[in-house]
Amino acid sequence: FCWRHLLQEFGTTYRVVALDLRGCGASEKPPGKDSYRLEGLLGDIREVIEILGTPNGQGGTTAATGATATSPKCVLVGHDWGGLLAWELATSHPDMVEKLVIMDAPHRAVMAGFSAFHPSQLLRSSYVFLFQLPWLPELLLSLADFELVKTFLTGPWTGIQNPAQRLTEQEVDAYLYSLSQPRGLTPPIHYHRNLF
């Protein structure tokens, strides 16, 4: 949903795909923190690239020539958690990534070093430490009909700054829909729980 405008814009020229990462939006939400470890999340993205990047979604050989297909390549775009995963995929499988576009997601190694010397960044990232606790983050985020999440999405410091592009009430509801489903908050928080 958050990529809808870019999908329309680039879809006229390119084949574009936007994924709900595992546990987010309409994707499957396997139980347990271990289901959201980096290896599994990267495997999901790698499989999508392989399936979409080969003729007719078939791996192995091409029907016309019988030759072994080369590794499919893509222009990989990621934001926030998708950006972190895009960095990792491009590093571990550079043969699959033709170009890499990252928004709002420094490489993990750079972020760790930067935070160590910039306490203000550590403060801005303090929610990650809260997310290490069991059940409390889910409780806090869901209080008062998800008021904290609504504030994050629309607030003057964290929301979209351009008044003409701010989220409408219906758009906020669309974001909250999957989070408000039973166990909807836990999978996205598990991403943070697996950071360390």
Side-chain angles (χ1 to χ4, degrees), residues 54-184:
T54 55
N56 302 321
Q58 306 295 318
T61 60
T62 60
T65 64
T68 302
T70 61
S71 180
K73 284 189 173 268
C74 71
V75 175
L76 187 58
V77 180
H79 169 260
D80 195 45
W81 266 102
L84 183 140
L85 295 171
W87 277 118
E88 296 292 331
L89 186 82
T91 302
S92 61
H93 298 287
D95 55 316
M96 298 185 93
V97 180
E98 184 177 331
K99 293 183 181 180
L100 182 63
V101 180
I102 305 292
M103 295 173 278
D104 196 27
H107 192 279
R108 285 192 311 162
V110 171
M111 186 64 176
F114 183 83
S115 295
F117 294 102
H118 296 85
S120 62
Q121 180 58 52
L122 199 56
L123 231 97
R124 282 189 287 255
S125 301
S126 62
Y127 67 92
V128 173
F129 301 106
L130 171 68
F131 285 179
Q132 301 309 305
L133 299 172
W135 64 263
L136 184 61
E138 288 90 336
L139 174 67
L140 293 173
L141 291 172
S142 65
L143 286 175
D145 195 28
F146 295 85
E147 191 59 37
L148 190 59
V149 178
K150 289 176 189 173
T151 300
F152 176 74
L153 291 172
T154 62
W157 290 359
T158 56
I160 297 169
Q161 301 302 306
N162 183 337
Q165 296 177 347
R166 288 197 179 125
L167 296 176
T168 66
E169 190 174 327
Q170 293 82 10
E171 290 170 327
V172 171
D173 287 345
Y175 281 107
L176 293 177
Y177 177 76
S178 65
L179 295 174
S180 66
Q181 299 305 303
R183 298 182 321 273

Side-chain angles (χ1 to χ4, degrees), residues 21-43:
L21 295 173
R22 181 189 299 200
C24 299
S27 70
E28 291 184 35
K29 295 168 179 49
K33 180 176 116 173
D34 287 343
S35 296
Y36 301 90
R37 295 181 59 83
L38 186 64
E39 302 79 28
L41 300 170
L42 291 175

